[in-house]
Amino acid sequence: MNMNDLNMQQLSHWQLRTDAAGIAWATLDRAGESANTLSKAVLEELDRLLTHLDGQPPKALIITSGKSAGFVAGADIGEFTALASPEATKGFVALGWNVFERLAAVPYPTLALVRGHCLGGGLELAMACRYRVAVDEPGTKFALPEVMLGIFPGWGGMKRLPALVGPQVALDMMLTGRNVDAKKAKRLGLADECVAPRVMHNAARGLVLSGKPARRMPFMARLLNGPLKGVVANGARKQVAKKARPEHYPAPYAIIDFWQHHNGNALAAPEVMARITGNDTAKNLVRVFHLQERLKGFGKDGAFKAQRLHVVGAGVMGGDIAAVAALKGITVTLQDQDLSRIAPAIARAKKLFERRLKDKLLVRAAMDRLIPDPSGAGAAHADVVIEAIFENLEAKHALLKSLEARMKPEAVLATNTSSLKIEDLRTVLNRPERLVGIHFFNPVPMMPLVEVVEAGGTDGAAFRNACAFVKQIDKLPLPVKSAPGFLVNAVLAPYMLEAMRCVDEGIAPETVDAAMEAFGMPMGPIELADTVGLDIAMAAGKTLAAGAGGNVEPPRCLAEKVAAGNLGKKSGRGFYDFASGKPAKGGAGTVPAGLAQRLVAPLLAKTQQLVDEGIVADAELADAGVIFGTGFAPFTGGPLHYANQRAAGRSTNHG
């Protein structure tokens, strides 16, 4: 590449150069940011760049990124959420739509060279090009995740994605926010080529000058995207209805309507657009996005990176912690009393690797990183050691004392305890300040939150390194103080207790669960108790009651079921029968007025209490922890945000 085509003073975020073959290379390198996002200024500069090329048309245009962090992460969410009026929001949508329509209409061939994340507006930019080359490396992901923020892909995504990959695949991606990697993008037709990094520039040059026609969908996909749109749309609405109520999550329903009736152009239905962008759900889901980013920030400090992990305890929790770490590239040694106890964890891990990685070579590599270690030799070499044995203070004391004697001095020593206090566990250590809690939730591969627990006097470096490890395995670290139940279990206990008291009063379990599912919970509290295990719910209730200085009698219905050995899903029967693997539920009947508010009230009160006591630093982190640790209805913005909105009279969709 040799010469600047556009006065650089006119461009703060784009660089435009033309190479010897007459190909213009437009590189997006947003000023002052570590990742590319599409702001008003970035879009306006792209529009000026296209105006310049109108006067001097190149042989072709290749759009690429100047950031090591990826292609484009989407629209600038901060700028979008700061828009003060429906007119301003509509103007921002119109700007992106019009610029990308203009890019799609230029007479010369265009190509997006995608390396790293290509999300939201970034994918809409790439799809406005005639061709796309995907670079085959782990960070390359394509997605339209706007629905997760309660909004929609307004810059052409709802029009172009169905035309490229067919409406069924496109709607699945848009309605779930699910991403695809480079190889799958090529298989679907979203990318024209999938190439190694070393050949990406040559591949882009060759394709953009090839004269190859843009990909055309197969005949059946064209029918589904045309005359049979109504059939696809109705099927999509039924699928969405199984997961999301329109009063809670209106965006997916709007996406289907925009595609079906307006060819994906939100500007053609301004009243629908205004309803989506102006409602509480969108504001609250954007709030949740920012809460998630704040949690991610706890793992970014310092240079700590674990190469080796040692886990003691190959039960469901310990085995799955080991598997997730191995999946993320860490060498893991897994210790238990003998190989027969470790074998089920290895078998579970293999299924997880096959499900997530799909490639046989990658699965083999992950299996090679997960090493059975009945003798515990790996503890001496590990950067992080986690004990995940049963909840018994004496047993944990003996283990922790033994581990400390063998570990590297700088290694992180952690416990996965859910009910014992760090202060009680560390009394046997020579360096008690080094022990931290790293508390995972079941099922470990699915649950994003991990509580990182510190007691008074905990070593600051050990705590920061624990947070960094959690972030390294793609979980969300939540700093909490040592206290019974920490945050998540402490707020769930009174909520589940209240639900069982309702059952004691004669309200059917199905009715209790239906009330909270209508509130927006992913699972009702009675089914949740069955899933966790009624014996665990009983033990946790006793521990938390003792820790709080109380003597709370367990609900009669819970005590009777535990005494009878009906422990929930794991025993096949609890409040529900799990013979089929799923709870057999009868009809919910009429839900009494105010039941949901009665059930959620103890959870809200306990969350506020834990903030007041400093167990979690502030209300934002408490909301984040309860959302990502329990699934508390994200569209509410979190329990304390919901309580504040309701107190102010601004929350109207719950009874």
Side-chain angles (χ1 to χ4, degrees), residues 443-458:
V444 174
M446 300 294 294
M447 296 298 288
L449 189 81
V450 175
E451 291 173 318
V452 184
V453 189
E454 65 174 330
T458 293

Side-chain angles (χ1 to χ4, degrees), residues 142-500:
F142 297 81
L144 291 176
E146 286 85 351
V147 73
M148 298 169 77
L149 299 177
I151 52 178
F152 49 83
W155 291 343
M158 297 183 290
K159 169 184 174 181
R160 294 192 176 92
L161 188 61
L164 279 170
V165 302
Q168 290 163 307
V169 171
L171 285 171
D172 178 66
M173 288 180 67
M174 291 190 291
L175 298 176
T176 64
R178 191 173 290 130
N179 65 55
V180 298
D181 62 19
K183 283 191 174 76
K184 187 165 186 181
K186 171 68 167 67
R187 286 200 305 274
L188 292 174
L190 182 52
D192 299 275
E193 300 289 349
C194 174
V195 302
R198 68 182 183 279
V199 299
M200 62 183 186
H201 293 105
N202 285 337
R205 287 188 194 97
L207 179 58
V208 81
L209 294 177
S210 68
K212 179 181 173 183
R215 179 180 182 273
R216 195 158 186 246
M217 276 191 301
F219 175 71
M220 180 52 72
R222 292 202 303 276
L223 279 180
L224 295 173
N225 206 37
L228 299 181
K229 263 188 174 183
V231 175
V232 179
N234 289 338
R237 285 189 190 92
K238 288 177 183 174
Q239 288 301 312
V240 170
K242 293 177 183 177
K243 302 269 183 73
R245 297 170 184 249
E247 66 269 27
H248 296 162
Y249 297 100
Y253 297 91
I255 288 170
I256 298 168
D257 286 343
F258 285 138
W259 168 71
Q260 181 183 4
H261 300 299
H262 304 288
N263 194 30
N265 183 1
L267 297 168
E271 70 292 341
V272 179
M273 180 166 64
R275 190 168 72 243
I276 297 302
T277 57
N279 73 7
D280 285 343
T281 291
K283 294 171 187 171
N284 289 339
L285 290 179
V286 169
R287 180 177 193 271
V288 172
F289 168 79
H290 288 304
L291 294 179
Q292 180 174 330
E293 292 302 299
R294 186 175 172 197
L295 291 182
K296 288 178 181 177
F298 288 111
K300 289 181 178 176
D301 292 340
F304 181 82
K305 190 168 184 181
Q307 303 295 326
R308 300 179 71 96
L309 166 70
H310 184 72
V311 179
V312 186
V316 172
M317 289 295 287
D320 285 0
I321 292 166
V324 166
L327 181 69
K328 298 301 178 182
I330 297 173
T331 299
V332 183
T333 44
L334 179 57
Q335 179 182 349
D336 212 310
Q337 292 176 349
D338 53 55
L339 283 172
S340 67
R341 291 174 180 263
I342 300 173
I346 301 294
R348 271 198 325 279
K350 188 168 188 288
K351 289 180 180 176
L352 173 68
F353 299 157
E354 288 170 345
R355 196 165 62 246
R356 295 281 179 91
L357 298 173
K358 298 180 173 65
D359 184 302
K360 287 183 180 178
L361 292 177
L362 295 177
V363 171
R364 171 64 63 86
M367 290 297 292
D368 288 345
R369 290 192 294 270
L370 182 55
I371 304 164
D373 182 19
S375 70
H381 309 287
D383 304 301
V384 177
V385 175
I386 301 176
E387 76 78 14
I389 65 170
F390 56 98
E391 295 285 80
N392 177 280
L393 185 62
E394 289 73 24
K396 287 184 186 285
H397 272 168
L399 175 59
L400 290 169
K401 191 171 183 179
S402 164
L403 288 170
E404 184 186 37
R406 289 178 287 146
M407 288 173 58
K408 296 189 294 188
E410 71 279 11
V412 173
L413 176 59
T415 172
N416 183 53
T417 185
S418 59
S419 59
L420 299 173
K421 293 181 71 173
I422 304 296
E423 294 89 337
D424 296 335
L425 288 169
R426 69 187 184 182
T427 55
V428 297
L429 298 177
N430 291 323
R431 289 175 52 203
E433 71 279 0
R434 78 184 299 189
L435 183 66
V436 296
I438 301 182
H439 180 224
F440 290 80
F441 296 93
N442 198 20
V444 174
M446 300 294 294
M447 296 298 288
L449 189 81
V450 175
E451 291 173 318
V452 184
V453 189
E454 65 174 330
T458 293
D459 178 70
F463 184 76
R464 289 190 297 274
N465 291 348
C467 289
F469 165 73
V470 171
K471 175 71 169 57
Q472 185 182 343
I473 60 171
D474 284 344
K475 299 294 186 184
L476 300 173
L478 175 70
V480 293
K481 302 293 186 185
S482 178
F486 313 129
L487 171 69
V488 173
N489 286 346
V491 304
L492 277 178
Y495 164 64
M496 292 162 75
L497 189 66
E498 190 66 26
M500 292 178 202

Side-chain angles (χ1 to χ4, degrees), residues 561-586:
K561 290 192 184 323
V562 171
N566 296 327
L567 306 181
K569 186 175 182 179
K570 62 185 172 186
S571 69
R573 181 183 292 274
F575 286 94
Y576 300 116
D577 189 312
F578 285 83
S580 66
K582 294 183 177 180
K585 293 188 178 185

Side-chain angles (χ1 to χ4, degrees), residues 10-28:
Q10 292 179 266
L11 298 179
S12 300
H13 307 293
W14 292 88
Q15 296 146 19
L16 181 66
R17 293 185 287 272
T18 302
D19 67 15
I23 300 172
W25 292 75
T27 301
L28 176 57

Side-chain angles (χ1 to χ4, degrees), residues 33-107:
E33 301 289 343
S34 60
N36 283 330
T37 54
L38 299 174
S39 64
K40 183 171 181 281
V42 169
L43 292 168
E44 288 173 342
E45 282 192 12
L46 176 58
D47 197 43
R48 291 205 300 275
L49 187 153
L50 293 174
T51 298
H52 172 80
L53 293 178
D54 283 346
Q56 302 176 37
K59 282 193 177 177
L61 170 64
I62 294 175
I63 296 177
T64 187
S65 167
K67 303 290 189 191
S68 60
F71 183 67
V72 181
D76 184 325
I77 295 299
E79 186 171 297
F80 178 76
T81 54
L83 297 171
S85 68
E87 292 75 23
T89 301
K90 182 180 177 183
F92 192 52
V93 173
L95 175 62
W97 171 271
N98 291 332
V99 172
F100 292 170
E101 285 287 290
R102 182 180 184 184
L103 174 61
V106 297

